[in-house]
Amino acid sequence: MNLNRLAYFAAVVDAGSFTRAAERLGITKAVVSQQVARLEQDVGTTLLIRTTRRVQPTEAGRIFHARCLLILREAEDAFDELAQAAAEPTGTLRIAAPNDYGTSAVVQVVTAFSARYPACRVELTLGDESIDLVSGRMDVAIRVGWLTDSSLQARRIGTFRQLMVGGADFAGRITATEPEDLARLPFIANMALREPLLWQFSRGDLERRAVQMHATISIDATPAVLAAVRTGAGLSVLPDFLVRDDLTAGRLIHVLPEWRLPSGGIYTVYPAARFRPPKVSSFVEMLIAAEQRGSIAEAQGPMP
């Protein structure tokens, strides 16, 4: 089907006449009339009622007009997306990310992004509080955990595991053989979490244990919790992307590795918009590639 004929037909319905539609389209009235007539032949039904004063759509014409608008809008969006994909990222890219994931993963991608696209400036805001993207003028935010706002435009780009860890110097004090035994040990509560003390352990498909920890120290920033664990102050639960290097180097130990804690997602979140500018889509693709490389490395060499 000739999409131009859909555009001519929609213009006639919107303008209410062939003459005004031709003026809007910048072509002759005869061309518009001829193309709409051929469209009616294509679909095998009358779409317009023509009078000396006005042109009105039939019932079938009204339904078809609504469909035409959707088709034409989709076609326009497709061309716009292609044009944006071919464009080079420019301007200022504003990103919000949590402290832990931002420091361990996003900073590296931002560095690579700036090197690849020198015409684009990056502003990275790190913090554990969720920032309103519109009032904060953010292009994209990284959220780690579990999304609760269904109105957000979000894309899951990866996952992470939560691990109960302790400092290597603390290992001699750990005599736990079951999750409930951990409640008797010093624990560093991460107050940036919604439930910093109640943890759900699972083993296999059937075993489930809920353990209420007792905080000896409470800290409201995840990187600071990690620093306290490293000093041997107690156990804590931290994401795998933050402790992977420490586990590999032997600075931390994974406590009760046969028991698993709930896994979470890593998401890119956007303000409502029809299109993503090249600076946003290019950065997100680089972040996804970095996440995939990390997943492959973990699969090839499991953490201690």
Side-chain angles (χ1 to χ4, degrees):
M1 180 174 289
N2 189 331
L3 288 181
N4 284 332
R5 291 174 185 168
L6 301 186
Y8 297 156
F9 166 70
V12 171
V13 174
D14 293 339
S17 78
F18 284 93
T19 301
R20 286 195 292 272
E23 292 173 352
R24 291 184 183 181
L25 295 169
I27 56 179
T28 64
K29 175 183 176 182
V31 170
V32 176
S33 178
Q34 181 186 59
Q35 292 300 313
V36 171
R38 289 184 178 177
L39 176 63
E40 289 179 315
Q41 292 176 0
D42 291 339
V43 299
T45 189
T46 300
L47 299 174
L48 297 172
I49 299 174
R50 300 157 175 83
T51 66
T52 55
R53 292 187 176 184
R54 187 170 177 82
V55 177
Q56 293 182 327
T58 62
E59 180 65 24
R62 281 193 292 272
I63 296 172
F64 190 66
H65 175 256
R67 291 287 188 178
C68 286
L69 294 181
L70 293 175
I71 293 169
L72 294 171
R73 188 175 300 117
E74 286 293 327
E76 181 182 352
D77 289 353
F79 281 107
D80 287 345
E81 288 178 352
L82 284 175
Q84 290 199 12
E88 188 80 0
T90 58
T92 300
L93 174 63
R94 296 179 176 85
I95 309 165
N99 275 311
D100 50 2
Y101 186 75
T103 302
S104 63
V106 178
V107 169
Q108 299 176 33
V109 179
V110 165
T111 301
F113 178 86
S114 295
R116 183 179 298 182
Y117 304 111
C120 193
R121 180 170 171 266
V122 181
E123 293 181 2
L124 175 61
T125 300
L126 299 180
D128 291 327
E129 294 293 328
S130 295
I131 297 176
D132 181 85
L133 302 188
V134 177
S135 62
R137 297 171 54 241
M138 294 294 169
D139 296 301
V140 59
I142 314 300
R143 301 275 170 85
V144 174
W146 298 265
L147 294 182
T148 56
D149 190 347
S150 60
S151 66
L152 295 173
Q153 295 185 358
R155 177 183 180 183
R156 186 163 127 167
I157 64 170
T159 59
F160 68 94
R161 292 173 58 198
Q162 297 185 105
L163 307 177
M164 181 71 72
V165 295
D169 295 339
F170 191 73
R173 301 172 58 185
I174 301 174
T175 58
T177 58
E178 299 292 334
E180 293 83 355
D181 299 335
L182 298 174
R184 297 193 296 268
L185 296 171
F187 185 76
I188 304 165
N190 185 352
M191 303 309 293
L193 302 177
R194 185 173 299 135
E195 289 282 354
L197 295 176
L198 182 60
W199 293 99
Q200 303 289 336
F201 291 83
S202 64
R203 184 168 62 181
D205 296 329
L206 300 177
E207 288 189 87
R208 300 287 186 272
R209 307 278 183 85
V211 178
Q212 182 77 31
M213 304 297 290
H214 303 283
T216 52
I217 300 175
S218 298
I219 302 177
D220 66 353
T222 306
V225 172
L226 173 59
V229 173
R230 283 174 178 159
T231 65
L235 304 178
S236 194
V237 176
L238 291 166
D240 58 3
F241 57 77
L242 191 62
V243 300
R244 184 177 289 113
D245 291 343
D246 285 309
L247 289 170
T248 302
R251 292 185 292 268
L252 297 181
I253 59 169
H254 185 187
V255 181
L256 297 184
E258 68 275 16
W259 290 88
R260 296 181 67 90
L261 292 166
S263 299
I266 302 170
Y267 302 86
T268 52
V269 182
Y270 314 93
R274 289 174 64 192
F275 302 109
R276 306 288 166 221
K279 60 184 179 181
V280 174
S281 55
S282 297
F283 169 78
V284 170
E285 292 308 316
M286 290 181 67
L287 184 61
I288 291 173
E291 271 296 313
Q292 291 174 343
R293 287 194 298 270
S295 298
I296 292 172
E298 183 176 340
Q300 292 174 343
M303 290 183 297

PDB file of all heavy atoms in Angstrom, residues 226-258:
ATOM      1  N   LEU A 226      31.050  -1.196  53.647  1.00  0.00           N
ATOM      2  CA  LEU A 226      32.142  -2.034  53.153  1.00  0.00           C
ATOM      3  C   LEU A 226      33.443  -1.731  53.891  1.00  0.00           C
ATOM      4  O   LEU A 226      34.166  -2.655  54.285  1.00  0.00           O
ATOM      5  CB  LEU A 226      32.325  -1.812  51.648  1.00  0.00           C
ATOM      6  CG  LEU A 226      33.542  -2.487  51.005  1.00  0.00           C
ATOM      7  CD1 LEU A 226      33.494  -3.997  51.187  1.00  0.00           C
ATOM      8  CD2 LEU A 226      33.624  -2.120  49.521  1.00  0.00           C
ATOM      9  N   ALA A 227      33.726  -0.466  54.104  1.00  0.00           N
ATOM     10  CA  ALA A 227      34.956  -0.086  54.813  1.00  0.00           C
ATOM     11  C   ALA A 227      34.953  -0.651  56.229  1.00  0.00           C
ATOM     12  O   ALA A 227      35.982  -1.134  56.724  1.00  0.00           O
ATOM     13  CB  ALA A 227      35.095   1.429  54.833  1.00  0.00           C
ATOM     14  N   ALA A 228      33.794  -0.634  56.896  1.00  0.00           N
ATOM     15  CA  ALA A 228      33.702  -1.163  58.257  1.00  0.00           C
ATOM     16  C   ALA A 228      33.882  -2.680  58.272  1.00  0.00           C
ATOM     17  O   ALA A 228      34.526  -3.226  59.171  1.00  0.00           O
ATOM     18  CB  ALA A 228      32.357  -0.779  58.870  1.00  0.00           C
ATOM     19  N   VAL A 229      33.325  -3.358  57.281  1.00  0.00           N
ATOM     20  CA  VAL A 229      33.484  -4.816  57.202  1.00  0.00           C
ATOM     21  C   VAL A 229      34.953  -5.165  57.000  1.00  0.00           C
ATOM     22  O   VAL A 229      35.477  -6.116  57.596  1.00  0.00           O
ATOM     23  CB  VAL A 229      32.612  -5.388  56.074  1.00  0.00           C
ATOM     24  CG1 VAL A 229      32.901  -6.880  55.864  1.00  0.00           C
ATOM     25  CG2 VAL A 229      31.132  -5.196  56.386  1.00  0.00           C
ATOM     26  N   ARG A 230      35.635  -4.417  56.170  1.00  0.00           N
ATOM     27  CA  ARG A 230      37.049  -4.687  55.911  1.00  0.00           C
ATOM     28  C   ARG A 230      37.893  -4.602  57.190  1.00  0.00           C
ATOM     29  O   ARG A 230      38.882  -5.313  57.341  1.00  0.00           O
ATOM     30  CB  ARG A 230      37.592  -3.690  54.888  1.00  0.00           C
ATOM     31  CG  ARG A 230      37.195  -3.962  53.448  1.00  0.00           C
ATOM     32  CD  ARG A 230      37.683  -2.825  52.579  1.00  0.00           C
ATOM     33  NE  ARG A 230      37.378  -3.031  51.164  1.00  0.00           N
ATOM     34  CZ  ARG A 230      37.332  -2.034  50.279  1.00  0.00           C
ATOM     35  NH1 ARG A 230      37.568  -0.781  50.668  1.00  0.00           N
ATOM     36  NH2 ARG A 230      37.068  -2.286  49.016  1.00  0.00           N
ATOM     37  N   THR A 231      37.504  -3.713  58.104  1.00  0.00           N
ATOM     38  CA  THR A 231      38.280  -3.539  59.334  1.00  0.00           C
ATOM     39  C   THR A 231      38.008  -4.650  60.347  1.00  0.00           C
ATOM     40  O   THR A 231      38.649  -4.690  61.403  1.00  0.00           O
ATOM     41  CB  THR A 231      37.960  -2.192  59.997  1.00  0.00           C
ATOM     42  OG1 THR A 231      36.593  -2.177  60.416  1.00  0.00           O
ATOM     43  CG2 THR A 231      38.215  -1.035  59.039  1.00  0.00           C
ATOM     44  N   GLY A 232      37.039  -5.533  60.066  1.00  0.00           N
ATOM     45  CA  GLY A 232      36.720  -6.611  60.990  1.00  0.00           C
ATOM     46  C   GLY A 232      35.695  -6.244  62.032  1.00  0.00           C
ATOM     47  O   GLY A 232      35.570  -6.925  63.059  1.00  0.00           O
ATOM     48  N   ALA A 233      34.902  -5.180  61.771  1.00  0.00           N
ATOM     49  CA  ALA A 233      33.915  -4.742  62.753  1.00  0.00           C
ATOM     50  C   ALA A 233      32.716  -5.675  62.848  1.00  0.00           C
ATOM     51  O   ALA A 233      31.973  -5.635  63.838  1.00  0.00           O
ATOM     52  CB  ALA A 233      33.438  -3.324  62.427  1.00  0.00           C
ATOM     53  N   GLY A 234      32.498  -6.494  61.832  1.00  0.00           N
ATOM     54  CA  GLY A 234      31.361  -7.396  61.871  1.00  0.00           C
ATOM     55  C   GLY A 234      30.976  -7.856  60.484  1.00  0.00           C
ATOM     56  O   GLY A 234      31.650  -7.558  59.491  1.00  0.00           O
ATOM     57  N   LEU A 235      29.881  -8.600  60.415  1.00  0.00           N
ATOM     58  CA  LEU A 235      29.348  -9.069  59.147  1.00  0.00           C
ATOM     59  C   LEU A 235      28.423  -8.013  58.554  1.00  0.00           C
ATOM     60  O   LEU A 235      27.912  -7.149  59.256  1.00  0.00           O
ATOM     61  CB  LEU A 235      28.555 -10.366  59.342  1.00  0.00           C
ATOM     62  CG  LEU A 235      29.253 -11.549  60.002  1.00  0.00           C
ATOM     63  CD1 LEU A 235      28.265 -12.706  60.138  1.00  0.00           C
ATOM     64  CD2 LEU A 235      30.472 -11.966  59.204  1.00  0.00           C
ATOM     65  N   SER A 236      28.173  -8.147  57.249  1.00  0.00           N
ATOM     66  CA  SER A 236      27.136  -7.339  56.618  1.00  0.00           C
ATOM     67  C   SER A 236      26.772  -7.971  55.286  1.00  0.00           C
ATOM     68  O   SER A 236      27.477  -8.865  54.789  1.00  0.00           O
ATOM     69  CB  SER A 236      27.583  -5.890  56.402  1.00  0.00           C
ATOM     70  OG  SER A 236      26.443  -5.079  56.097  1.00  0.00           O
ATOM     71  N   VAL A 237      25.675  -7.515  54.715  1.00  0.00           N
ATOM     72  CA  VAL A 237      25.236  -7.989  53.401  1.00  0.00           C
ATOM     73  C   VAL A 237      25.550  -6.904  52.383  1.00  0.00           C
ATOM     74  O   VAL A 237      25.115  -5.756  52.530  1.00  0.00           O
ATOM     75  CB  VAL A 237      23.730  -8.302  53.398  1.00  0.00           C
ATOM     76  CG1 VAL A 237      23.269  -8.697  52.000  1.00  0.00           C
ATOM     77  CG2 VAL A 237      23.421  -9.416  54.386  1.00  0.00           C
ATOM     78  N   LEU A 238      26.301  -7.274  51.343  1.00  0.00           N
ATOM     79  CA  LEU A 238      26.728  -6.315  50.328  1.00  0.00           C
ATOM     80  C   LEU A 238      26.543  -6.921  48.943  1.00  0.00           C
ATOM     81  O   LEU A 238      26.585  -8.149  48.772  1.00  0.00           O
ATOM     82  CB  LEU A 238      28.193  -5.922  50.542  1.00  0.00           C
ATOM     83  CG  LEU A 238      28.464  -5.072  51.798  1.00  0.00           C
ATOM     84  CD1 LEU A 238      29.946  -5.032  52.116  1.00  0.00           C
ATOM     85  CD2 LEU A 238      27.909  -3.662  51.618  1.00  0.00           C
ATOM     86  N   PRO A 239      26.359  -6.089  47.911  1.00  0.00           N
ATOM     87  CA  PRO A 239      26.167  -6.613  46.555  1.00  0.00           C
ATOM     88  C   PRO A 239      27.462  -7.174  45.984  1.00  0.00           C
ATOM     89  O   PRO A 239      28.559  -6.682  46.287  1.00  0.00           O
ATOM     90  CB  PRO A 239      25.696  -5.379  45.767  1.00  0.00           C
ATOM     91  CG  PRO A 239      26.230  -4.219  46.527  1.00  0.00           C
ATOM     92  CD  PRO A 239      26.220  -4.620  47.971  1.00  0.00           C
ATOM     93  N   ASP A 240      27.322  -8.191  45.131  1.00  0.00           N
ATOM     94  CA  ASP A 240      28.511  -8.864  44.595  1.00  0.00           C
ATOM     95  C   ASP A 240      29.416  -7.948  43.792  1.00  0.00           C
ATOM     96  O   ASP A 240      30.637  -8.079  43.829  1.00  0.00           O
ATOM     97  CB  ASP A 240      28.098 -10.085  43.764  1.00  0.00           C
ATOM     98  CG  ASP A 240      27.176  -9.739  42.599  1.00  0.00           C
ATOM     99  OD1 ASP A 240      26.881  -8.551  42.382  1.00  0.00           O
ATOM    100  OD2 ASP A 240      26.744 -10.678  41.896  1.00  0.00           O
ATOM    101  N   PHE A 241      28.824  -6.970  43.059  1.00  0.00           N
ATOM    102  CA  PHE A 241      29.668  -6.101  42.245  1.00  0.00           C
ATOM    103  C   PHE A 241      30.579  -5.217  43.096  1.00  0.00           C
ATOM    104  O   PHE A 241      31.601  -4.738  42.614  1.00  0.00           O
ATOM    105  CB  PHE A 241      28.811  -5.231  41.306  1.00  0.00           C
ATOM    106  CG  PHE A 241      27.772  -4.378  41.993  1.00  0.00           C
ATOM    107  CD1 PHE A 241      28.115  -3.209  42.650  1.00  0.00           C
ATOM    108  CD2 PHE A 241      26.438  -4.743  41.962  1.00  0.00           C
ATOM    109  CE1 PHE A 241      27.161  -2.418  43.279  1.00  0.00           C
ATOM    110  CE2 PHE A 241      25.465  -3.962  42.585  1.00  0.00           C
ATOM    111  CZ  PHE A 241      25.831  -2.802  43.239  1.00  0.00           C
ATOM    112  N   LEU A 242      30.218  -5.019  44.363  1.00  0.00           N
ATOM    113  CA  LEU A 242      31.021  -4.164  45.232  1.00  0.00           C
ATOM    114  C   LEU A 242      32.123  -4.944  45.943  1.00  0.00           C
ATOM    115  O   LEU A 242      33.179  -4.379  46.263  1.00  0.00           O
ATOM    116  CB  LEU A 242      30.119  -3.484  46.266  1.00  0.00           C
ATOM    117  CG  LEU A 242      30.739  -2.362  47.095  1.00  0.00           C
ATOM    118  CD1 LEU A 242      31.181  -1.205  46.199  1.00  0.00           C
ATOM    119  CD2 LEU A 242      29.752  -1.855  48.142  1.00  0.00           C
ATOM    120  N   VAL A 243      31.908  -6.234  46.183  1.00  0.00           N
ATOM    121  CA  VAL A 243      32.864  -7.014  46.996  1.00  0.00           C
ATOM    122  C   VAL A 243      33.646  -8.032  46.175  1.00  0.00           C
ATOM    123  O   VAL A 243      34.473  -8.748  46.724  1.00  0.00           O
ATOM    124  CB  VAL A 243      32.134  -7.733  48.148  1.00  0.00           C
ATOM    125  CG1 VAL A 243      31.454  -6.735  49.064  1.00  0.00           C
ATOM    126  CG2 VAL A 243      31.114  -8.741  47.607  1.00  0.00           C
ATOM    127  N   ARG A 244      33.406  -8.087  44.868  1.00  0.00           N
ATOM    128  CA  ARG A 244      34.058  -9.119  44.049  1.00  0.00           C
ATOM    129  C   ARG A 244      35.580  -9.071  44.164  1.00  0.00           C
ATOM    130  O   ARG A 244      36.243 -10.094  44.366  1.00  0.00           O
ATOM    131  CB  ARG A 244      33.627  -8.965  42.590  1.00  0.00           C
ATOM    132  CG  ARG A 244      34.180 -10.043  41.664  1.00  0.00           C
ATOM    133  CD  ARG A 244      33.672  -9.900  40.246  1.00  0.00           C
ATOM    134  NE  ARG A 244      32.260 -10.259  40.148  1.00  0.00           N
ATOM    135  CZ  ARG A 244      31.284  -9.396  39.875  1.00  0.00           C
ATOM    136  NH1 ARG A 244      31.564  -8.122  39.688  1.00  0.00           N
ATOM    137  NH2 ARG A 244      30.047  -9.808  39.791  1.00  0.00           N
ATOM    138  N   ASP A 245      36.165  -7.884  44.034  1.00  0.00           N
ATOM    139  CA  ASP A 245      37.631  -7.768  44.097  1.00  0.00           C
ATOM    140  C   ASP A 245      38.163  -8.141  45.478  1.00  0.00           C
ATOM    141  O   ASP A 245      39.213  -8.784  45.598  1.00  0.00           O
ATOM    142  CB  ASP A 245      38.067  -6.346  43.730  1.00  0.00           C
ATOM    143  CG  ASP A 245      37.833  -6.031  42.258  1.00  0.00           C
ATOM    144  OD1 ASP A 245      37.645  -6.983  41.471  1.00  0.00           O
ATOM    145  OD2 ASP A 245      37.827  -4.837  41.896  1.00  0.00           O
ATOM    146  N   ASP A 246      37.442  -7.740  46.541  1.00  0.00           N
ATOM    147  CA  ASP A 246      37.883  -8.061  47.899  1.00  0.00           C
ATOM    148  C   ASP A 246      37.825  -9.562  48.159  1.00  0.00           C
ATOM    149  O   ASP A 246      38.690 -10.121  48.846  1.00  0.00           O
ATOM    150  CB  ASP A 246      37.022  -7.321  48.927  1.00  0.00           C
ATOM    151  CG  ASP A 246      37.359  -5.840  49.006  1.00  0.00           C
ATOM    152  OD1 ASP A 246      38.547  -5.517  49.150  1.00  0.00           O
ATOM    153  OD2 ASP A 246      36.436  -5.024  48.908  1.00  0.00           O
ATOM    154  N   LEU A 247      36.816 -10.235  47.625  1.00  0.00           N
ATOM    155  CA  LEU A 247      36.716 -11.686  47.792  1.00  0.00           C
ATOM    156  C   LEU A 247      37.841 -12.399  47.041  1.00  0.00           C
ATOM    157  O   LEU A 247      38.456 -13.332  47.550  1.00  0.00           O
ATOM    158  CB  LEU A 247      35.355 -12.176  47.297  1.00  0.00           C
ATOM    159  CG  LEU A 247      34.143 -11.799  48.158  1.00  0.00           C
ATOM    160  CD1 LEU A 247      32.857 -12.140  47.428  1.00  0.00           C
ATOM    161  CD2 LEU A 247      34.183 -12.501  49.506  1.00  0.00           C
ATOM    162  N   THR A 248      38.094 -11.930  45.825  1.00  0.00           N
ATOM    163  CA  THR A 248      39.156 -12.543  45.032  1.00  0.00           C
ATOM    164  C   THR A 248      40.519 -12.371  45.691  1.00  0.00           C
ATOM    165  O   THR A 248      41.354 -13.290  45.695  1.00  0.00           O
ATOM    166  CB  THR A 248      39.170 -11.940  43.618  1.00  0.00           C
ATOM    167  OG1 THR A 248      37.896 -12.136  43.008  1.00  0.00           O
ATOM    168  CG2 THR A 248      40.246 -12.586  42.758  1.00  0.00           C
ATOM    169  N   ALA A 249      40.747 -11.176  46.292  1.00  0.00           N
ATOM    170  CA  ALA A 249      42.039 -10.888  46.927  1.00  0.00           C
ATOM    171  C   ALA A 249      42.153 -11.486  48.321  1.00  0.00           C
ATOM    172  O   ALA A 249      43.226 -11.442  48.920  1.00  0.00           O
ATOM    173  CB  ALA A 249      42.250  -9.375  46.994  1.00  0.00           C
ATOM    174  N   GLY A 250      41.052 -12.019  48.859  1.00  0.00           N
ATOM    175  CA  GLY A 250      41.097 -12.613  50.182  1.00  0.00           C
ATOM    176  C   GLY A 250      40.911 -11.630  51.319  1.00  0.00           C
ATOM    177  O   GLY A 250      41.079 -11.993  52.489  1.00  0.00           O
ATOM    178  N   ARG A 251      40.559 -10.385  51.009  1.00  0.00           N
ATOM    179  CA  ARG A 251      40.325  -9.399  52.068  1.00  0.00           C
ATOM    180  C   ARG A 251      38.997  -9.642  52.777  1.00  0.00           C
ATOM    181  O   ARG A 251      38.813  -9.268  53.926  1.00  0.00           O
ATOM    182  CB  ARG A 251      40.373  -7.979  51.493  1.00  0.00           C
ATOM    183  CG  ARG A 251      41.746  -7.536  51.020  1.00  0.00           C
ATOM    184  CD  ARG A 251      41.735  -6.082  50.573  1.00  0.00           C
ATOM    185  NE  ARG A 251      40.951  -5.901  49.358  1.00  0.00           N
ATOM    186  CZ  ARG A 251      41.456  -5.958  48.121  1.00  0.00           C
ATOM    187  NH1 ARG A 251      42.742  -6.230  47.951  1.00  0.00           N
ATOM    188  NH2 ARG A 251      40.691  -5.772  47.061  1.00  0.00           N
ATOM    189  N   LEU A 252      38.043 -10.258  52.049  1.00  0.00           N
ATOM    190  CA  LEU A 252      36.739 -10.600  52.618  1.00  0.00           C
ATOM    191  C   LEU A 252      36.485 -12.084  52.401  1.00  0.00           C
ATOM    192  O   LEU A 252      37.072 -12.711  51.509  1.00  0.00           O
ATOM    193  CB  LEU A 252      35.621  -9.787  51.951  1.00  0.00           C
ATOM    194  CG  LEU A 252      35.640  -8.267  52.102  1.00  0.00           C
ATOM    195  CD1 LEU A 252      34.432  -7.676  51.378  1.00  0.00           C
ATOM    196  CD2 LEU A 252      35.659  -7.842  53.551  1.00  0.00           C
ATOM    197  N   ILE A 253      35.587 -12.633  53.212  1.00  0.00           N
ATOM    198  CA  ILE A 253      35.148 -14.014  53.032  1.00  0.00           C
ATOM    199  C   ILE A 253      33.636 -14.030  52.849  1.00  0.00           C
ATOM    200  O   ILE A 253      32.914 -13.179  53.389  1.00  0.00           O
ATOM    201  CB  ILE A 253      35.544 -14.902  54.239  1.00  0.00           C
ATOM    202  CG1 ILE A 253      34.924 -14.336  55.534  1.00  0.00           C
ATOM    203  CG2 ILE A 253      37.037 -15.025  54.358  1.00  0.00           C
ATOM    204  CD1 ILE A 253      35.038 -15.286  56.711  1.00  0.00           C
ATOM    205  N   HIS A 254      33.157 -14.976  52.065  1.00  0.00           N
ATOM    206  CA  HIS A 254      31.727 -15.177  51.842  1.00  0.00           C
ATOM    207  C   HIS A 254      31.237 -16.168  52.896  1.00  0.00           C
ATOM    208  O   HIS A 254      31.674 -17.319  52.920  1.00  0.00           O
ATOM    209  CB  HIS A 254      31.496 -15.707  50.427  1.00  0.00           C
ATOM    210  CG  HIS A 254      30.058 -15.838  50.056  1.00  0.00           C
ATOM    211  ND1 HIS A 254      29.635 -16.434  48.884  1.00  0.00           N
ATOM    212  CD2 HIS A 254      28.922 -15.442  50.701  1.00  0.00           C
ATOM    213  CE1 HIS A 254      28.324 -16.409  48.827  1.00  0.00           C
ATOM    214  NE2 HIS A 254      27.867 -15.813  49.920  1.00  0.00           N
ATOM    215  N   VAL A 255      30.331 -15.721  53.757  1.00  0.00           N
ATOM    216  CA  VAL A 255      29.854 -16.527  54.875  1.00  0.00           C
ATOM    217  C   VAL A 255      28.653 -17.365  54.434  1.00  0.00           C
ATOM    218  O   VAL A 255      27.722 -16.860  53.806  1.00  0.00           O
ATOM    219  CB  VAL A 255      29.467 -15.624  56.066  1.00  0.00           C
ATOM    220  CG1 VAL A 255      28.998 -16.452  57.243  1.00  0.00           C
ATOM    221  CG2 VAL A 255      30.645 -14.743  56.453  1.00  0.00           C
ATOM    222  N   LEU A 256      28.671 -18.651  54.789  1.00  0.00           N
ATOM    223  CA  LEU A 256      27.612 -19.598  54.425  1.00  0.00           C
ATOM    224  C   LEU A 256      27.268 -19.513  52.932  1.00  0.00           C
ATOM    225  O   LEU A 256      26.126 -19.214  52.544  1.00  0.00           O
ATOM    226  CB  LEU A 256      26.344 -19.348  55.262  1.00  0.00           C
ATOM    227  CG  LEU A 256      26.464 -19.550  56.771  1.00  0.00           C
ATOM    228  CD1 LEU A 256      25.106 -19.365  57.433  1.00  0.00           C
ATOM    229  CD2 LEU A 256      27.042 -20.913  57.114  1.00  0.00           C
ATOM    230  N   PRO A 257      28.233 -19.742  52.046  1.00  0.00           N
ATOM    231  CA  PRO A 257      27.993 -19.584  50.605  1.00  0.00           C
ATOM    232  C   PRO A 257      26.952 -20.545  50.040  1.00  0.00           C
ATOM    233  O   PRO A 257      26.420 -20.305  48.952  1.00  0.00           O
ATOM    234  CB  PRO A 257      29.379 -19.852  49.993  1.00  0.00           C
ATOM    235  CG  PRO A 257      30.102 -20.661  51.006  1.00  0.00           C
ATOM    236  CD  PRO A 257      29.611 -20.199  52.338  1.00  0.00           C
ATOM    237  N   GLU A 258      26.667 -21.640  50.774  1.00  0.00           N
ATOM    238  CA  GLU A 258      25.659 -22.571  50.277  1.00  0.00           C
ATOM    239  C   GLU A 258      24.238 -22.029  50.433  1.00  0.00           C
ATOM    240  O   GLU A 258      23.289 -22.562  49.860  1.00  0.00           O
ATOM    241  CB  GLU A 258      25.783 -23.927  50.990  1.00  0.00           C
ATOM    242  CG  GLU A 258      25.411 -23.914  52.469  1.00  0.00           C
ATOM    243  CD  GLU A 258      26.575 -23.499  53.373  1.00  0.00           C
ATOM    244  OE1 GLU A 258      27.567 -22.942  52.862  1.00  0.00           O
ATOM    245  OE2 GLU A 258      26.474 -23.756  54.587  1.00  0.00           O
TER     246      GLU A 258
END
